[in-house]
Amino acid sequence: MVQIPKPPAPSRTAQRPVPTSADVARLAGVSRATVSYVLNNTAAVRISEPTRRRVHEAAKELGYVPHAAARSLRAGHRRMVLMPAPAVPAGPLYSAFIYELQWALHRLDYTVVQYGGVGLAGDEAARAWAELRPVAVLVPGTGLGPEGVALLRRSGARAVVTLGPDAVEGAHALLMDHESVGHCAGAHLYARGRRRIGVVVPEEGGLDVFSRPRLAGVRRALHGTAATVTELPLAYTEESAARLAARWGDLGLDAAFAYNDEYAMLLMRALQDEGVAVPADTAVIGADDLLLGRLLRPRLSTVRIELPSGRDLAELVDRAVRDPGGEPERHKVLGASVVQRDST
Amino acid sequence: MVQIPKPPAPSRTAQRPVPTSADVARLAGVSRATVSYVLNNTAAVRISEPTRRRVHEAAKELGYVPHAAARSLRAGHRRMVLMPAPAVPAGPLYSAFIYELQWALHRLDYTVVQYGGVGLAGDEAARAWAELRPVAVLVPGTGLGPEGVALLRRSGARAVVTLGPDAVEGAHALLMDHESVGHCAGAHLYARGRRRIGVVVPEEGGLDVFSRPRLAGVRRALHGTAATVTELPLAYTEESAARLAARWGDLGLDAAFAYNDEYAMLLMRALQDEGVAVPADTAVIGADDLLLGRLLRPRLSTVRIELPSGRDLAELVDRAVRDPGGEPERHKVLGASVVQRDST
């Protein structure tokens, strides 16, 4: 790590005071109410053009910024869509999704604010979000319950949308069922004649919300068959992968579903270094359909996951904001399908 | 894309009104001032325990959430550190950095709010950020000028910290010089005997802020030598890489610095598929030192980039917030060093 040295002792210089609307009023020679009418573009009050100009010039000279909080006291942040920031470093698929969503909401004149998610959970989190008075809240993952939703609605959020495995009362739900990802992978490996199937479960914290249902999906796909499912904890390091590959012979597996393409790449390399032939000895399949999977040899089979389009999601948010009393919508939005290449 | 179908017509149900502090006062049988004193924990006013309890119970029953905006009217959001969200999908190195920073600030009792950065630039962006009255603003990249910094300071931000190539007047600066990344790569390739060096410049928008200085750094490293530098535009797709590899013979290059490890992986695979031997015919070096580079064959040489630790940065923010009048700090925080493996 690059160190940032600490300077010796704090100086005692004072900060310039923050200009207020009273300062603007004084400089422009008008009342505070007039300043407020002009800067908030209140249509109901007639103010002459020269006065408007004087107020704007005074505000500019002083560097006065109208306070969003003052406006939000009346109306809430009418264009702010709040999302908790991801509680784990975002992967490439999710980063691209958030980016696209941000653009789509921007085109509809909303601004996405991502609220630092670490160390906050459940209703405590909902309370913190509510304090910012967003017009809509978009919550990926699990953890928000009906009480949290109600609290957000009472605080003025016109829409709460969850993205997760289950619907929550009072909120719109985009149902993302990661079980289907595992089910796809399991069914594919079975159809390819594999019967002793390992499932990589990342040891990195915070991924359980995805890895557990994926594992359950593999089990469901193989339920009632003679195939076995073996859980394989794996950290995202070469050492962990080498340790797993070293006991591959003892495990007696003929296939692995590796959670996603990055873990698949890690596992496949370790198996190859150990002399395990892919796919002859062991088939390997990932998920996410990242470009890197196509660059590997053998080319990596994968489960392509289709997230909802940012544009569709932005339109749902906008619909919900315009009709806050409407019946909550429920949509299944996670598409999962196998892309077979050369590793299975 | 998974489509979200649109429901037929909006219903006309009304939303429950948002409870106010007046409602709480009515239910608790106290004044609004008392509600405010109790819920804001004002130490200056003595209020009996039973009254306190009555106010809290009424607030809970009604689901009243004290409005952060009301508090921020007086004080600003005293623990909110605002960052613009990245204007491009964040890569793995940056995602991990933001995540670590978020934790470090959380431990110091700050909350990071990432403000949607798309479609906003320069002083317009600064004005939008200022409206949320954060206590500190952390701005990666370029674009914020001295006027934007002054505006943020006047709006109450006690600290503005930039992360970029240049310092901005009035702001603390963590100087991240991506030229040094290119310089490292260029000097290394030259030392390995390479004289006709290609530099991959991603065609993806928004990466110029990193790719331009990296290219300049390679040129600087080779300045005054007989070596040539060729700019190689490349999109992050297999097709683009295949097209580049197909004309590799005509280009007559014996080395490539591929912007980062992901582009290096893409280029190296395309070169190998075209029959170009790495490193015998062409040496390839990436940057970022991602795990995937160690999984390639040949193992990928790379420029390791050291970002400042999230903890150091969080401490700088905290120091600056406690001493808003202090002299702006300037630190060079980008470390760059070559990790040689088998591809150069």
Side-chain angles (χ1 to χ4, degrees):
Chain A
M1 287 295 177
V2 177
Q3 298 285 321
I4 302 177
K6 279 164 206 156
S11 74
R12 291 274 146 251
T13 329
Q15 189 177 13
R16 241 173 85 184
V18 176
T20 65
S21 67
D23 299 327
V24 178
R26 208 172 300 122
L27 184 62
V30 300
S31 70
R32 279 187 68 180
T34 302
V35 170
S36 160
Y37 294 145
V38 171
L39 296 182
N40 288 305
N41 272 317
T42 309
V45 183
R46 282 208 172 179
I47 293 167
S48 74
E49 208 32 60
T51 305
R52 275 184 196 281
R53 206 175 312 124
R54 233 166 44 238
V55 170
H56 281 296
E57 278 164 7
K60 198 175 165 194
E61 187 175 331
L62 293 169
Y64 173 70
V65 182
H67 194 327
R71 292 207 291 273
S72 75
L73 271 179
R74 296 187 298 273
H77 290 299
R78 304 201 70 137
R79 309 308 293 178
M80 182 205 287
V81 176
L82 187 142
M83 291 184 74
V88 285
L93 196 69
Y94 191 75
S95 280
F97 166 66
I98 293 291
Y99 178 69
E100 192 202 328
L101 174 62
Q102 202 172 295
W103 261 110
L105 282 167
H106 174 70
R107 279 196 207 98
L108 295 172
D109 204 24
Y110 293 94
T111 293
V112 177
V113 168
Q114 286 182 264
Y115 194 95
V118 299
L120 271 181
D123 289 350
E124 191 199 359
R127 187 169 297 271
W129 305 335
E131 287 206 349
L132 286 183
R133 292 292 190 268
V135 71
V137 183
L138 210 52
V139 191
T142 54
L144 183 71
E147 292 200 6
V149 173
L151 184 144
L152 288 166
R153 294 301 303 268
R154 280 194 307 265
S155 78
R158 293 167 66 89
V160 179
V161 181
T162 62
L163 296 94
D166 303 306
V168 182
E169 193 192 321
H172 301 269
L174 297 186
L175 297 163
M176 300 175 111
D177 176 13
H178 284 265
E179 228 224 358
S180 64
V181 177
H183 190 274
C184 257
H188 171 71
L189 293 172
Y190 190 82
R192 304 292 297 160
R194 308 295 165 145
R195 296 294 179 265
R196 298 181 308 283
I197 295 171
V199 177
V200 167
V201 177
E203 288 180 352
E204 280 69 26
L207 297 177
D208 293 27
V209 59
F210 307 114
S211 65
R212 288 287 140 202
R214 288 183 189 188
L215 174 61
V218 176
R219 287 195 201 282
R220 186 165 59 85
L222 303 176
H223 186 73
T225 74
T228 59
V229 175
T230 305
E231 196 176 327
L232 303 172
L234 177 65
Y236 193 59
T237 64
E238 279 185 286
E239 296 69 31
S240 176
R243 276 196 302 273
L244 177 56
R247 56 192 190 91
W248 204 255
D250 299 336
L251 286 165
L253 302 174
D254 61 11
F257 167 47
Y259 176 68
N260 73 9
D261 290 349
E262 291 175 313
Y263 285 84
M265 179 181 183
L266 179 65
L267 176 64
M268 199 158 86
R269 168 57 58 202
L271 291 176
Q272 290 173 327
D273 286 352
E274 193 67 25
V276 176
V278 177
D281 301 333
T282 297
V284 176
I285 185 168
D288 287 3
D289 192 16
L290 300 183
L291 174 56
L292 67 82
R294 293 198 291 274
L295 304 178
L296 303 179
R297 296 296 177 269
R299 288 181 174 81
L300 184 67
S301 296
T302 191
V303 179
R304 176 182 292 157
I305 298 176
E306 286 191 59
L307 296 174
S309 83
R311 194 169 133 182
D312 279 359
L313 180 46
E315 284 176 2
L316 168 62
V317 168
D318 189 48
R319 248 185 348 260
V321 165
R322 289 165 190 275
D323 180 32
E327 203 47 42
E329 296 183 33
R330 303 264 184 275
H331 303 286
K332 291 195 179 183
V333 294
L334 197 91
S337 55
V338 168
V339 180
Q340 194 193 337
R341 300 203 184 97
D342 309 324
S343 67
T344 55
Chain B
M1 287 295 176
V2 177
Q3 299 285 321
I4 303 177
K6 281 164 205 156
S11 74
R12 291 274 145 252
T13 329
Q15 188 177 10
R16 242 172 85 184
V18 175
T20 65
S21 68
D23 299 327
V24 178
R26 208 171 301 123
L27 184 61
V30 300
S31 71
R32 279 186 69 179
T34 304
V35 171
S36 161
Y37 294 145
V38 171
L39 297 182
N40 289 304
N41 272 316
T42 309
V45 184
R46 282 209 171 179
I47 292 166
S48 73
E49 210 29 63
T51 303
R52 277 186 195 280
R53 206 176 312 125
R54 230 163 48 234
V55 169
H56 281 295
E57 278 164 8
K60 197 172 167 198
E61 187 174 333
L62 293 170
Y64 173 71
V65 182
H67 194 327
R71 291 207 291 274
S72 75
L73 271 178
R74 296 187 299 272
H77 289 298
R78 303 200 73 137
R79 308 310 291 181
M80 182 205 289
V81 176
L82 187 142
M83 292 185 74
V88 285
L93 195 68
Y94 191 74
S95 280
F97 165 65
I98 293 291
Y99 177 70
E100 191 202 328
L101 174 62
Q102 201 172 296
W103 262 110
L105 282 167
H106 174 70
R107 279 196 207 97
L108 294 172
D109 202 25
Y110 294 94
T111 293
V112 177
V113 168
Q114 287 183 264
Y115 193 95
V118 299
L120 270 182
D123 289 351
E124 191 199 358
R127 187 168 298 271
W129 305 334
E131 287 206 349
L132 287 183
R133 292 291 190 271
V135 72
V137 183
L138 208 52
V139 191
T142 55
L144 182 72
E147 293 200 7
V149 173
L151 184 145
L152 288 166
R153 294 301 302 268
R154 281 194 308 265
S155 77
R158 294 167 67 90
V160 179
V161 181
T162 63
L163 295 95
D166 303 306
V168 181
E169 193 192 320
H172 301 269
L174 298 187
L175 297 163
M176 300 175 111
D177 177 14
H178 284 265
E179 228 223 358
S180 64
V181 177
H183 191 275
C184 258
H188 171 72
L189 293 172
Y190 190 82
R192 303 294 295 160
R194 308 294 164 145
R195 295 295 179 265
R196 298 182 307 284
I197 295 171
V199 177
V200 167
V201 177
E203 288 180 351
E204 280 68 28
L207 297 177
D208 293 27
V209 60
F210 307 114
S211 65
R212 288 288 140 200
R214 290 184 189 189
L215 173 61
V218 176
R219 286 196 202 281
R220 186 165 60 84
L222 303 175
H223 186 72
T225 73
T228 60
V229 175
T230 305
E231 194 176 328
L232 304 172
L234 176 65
Y236 193 59
T237 64
E238 278 185 288
E239 296 70 32
S240 177
R243 275 196 303 273
L244 177 57
R247 58 193 189 87
W248 203 254
D250 300 335
L251 287 164
L253 303 173
D254 61 11
F257 167 48
Y259 176 69
N260 73 9
D261 291 348
E262 291 175 313
Y263 284 83
M265 179 181 184
L266 179 64
L267 176 64
M268 198 157 87
R269 167 57 57 202
L271 290 176
Q272 289 172 327
D273 286 352
E274 193 67 25
V276 177
V278 177
D281 301 332
T282 297
V284 176
I285 186 168
D288 287 4
D289 193 16
L290 300 183
L291 174 56
L292 66 83
R294 293 199 290 275
L295 304 179
L296 302 179
R297 295 296 177 268
R299 288 182 173 80
L300 184 68
S301 297
T302 191
V303 179
R304 176 181 293 158
I305 297 176
E306 286 191 59
L307 296 173
S309 82
R311 195 168 134 180
D312 279 0
L313 180 45
E315 284 176 3
L316 168 61
V317 168
D318 190 48
R319 243 180 359 254
V321 165
R322 289 166 190 274
D323 180 30
E327 203 48 42
E329 295 183 34
R330 304 263 185 274
H331 303 285
K332 291 194 180 185
V333 294
L334 197 91
S337 55
V338 167
V339 180
Q340 194 192 337
R341 299 202 185 98
D342 310 323
S343 66
T344 56

